Amino acid sequence: MKTHTFREMFQDFMCDERLHKTEWTTLHDVSKLLEEHDHLKHVLFNKLGHVLQTVVLTDKRSKEKIVVANTHLFYHPHAAHVKCLKMLIACRQLEIEHIENELSPIIFCGDYNSTPDSGVMQLLLNRFVDSGDEETWKHLCTYEWEEGAGGDLKHVSSIDVEYPTSFPQLISAYEKAPDFTHFIECFAATLDYILASSNFEVVRSASTLSFDDMKEH
């Protein structure tokens, strides 16, 4: 099993040498964004302690390999842009391991702290998030890790975020997203997912509890 910290992945993938070689053109736009947005760069490079864990499993009979990954994204409701950029970086790492292991299929699961209509899920399933997506970029210039740390960021503009064709198409294990995977008295939403590359087929999904079930107990 490998453990990749998001801080290290951002630093690695944003270095000039790797940017010149990559087909992930969105990373060039991210690099330019971080040049203009020092506070966001500070948060991504130094503050976030989350990780991406990956492991390559091999079928004993067929010898086919599968890349399995898991992550837990940042929770903050005003940091949708941070989550989206983290997911871009996570999938860049997944593509590397996909290629290193003979174009193996991918299973990618975790607590994404993102609802089904979020920019994160648009990126994962539709492969693109527009610079005009308000839900994703609303707090780009106002979110601060610590109050007063952000400074004047009115000049910073959002960017399009897109996967290249080299990254496998992902599908969701949910035929229809459940009402919730996270439930507390003041908040309930679907935040947890299992995705897979499209060479998998979803045979069936387990039923989930309803709001009425939860209220009863």
Side-chain angles (χ1 to χ4, degrees), residues 80-108:
H81 59 293
V82 173
K83 300 174 197 177
C84 197
L85 295 178
K86 288 179 68 177
M87 192 55 79
L88 177 75
I89 289 292
C91 289
R92 175 67 184 104
Q93 179 61 41
L94 280 183
E95 185 192 57
I96 290 173
E97 300 192 28
H98 164 71
I99 293 171
E100 288 177 344
N101 291 280
E102 305 164 8
L103 302 182
S104 299
I106 294 171
I107 295 175
F108 187 19

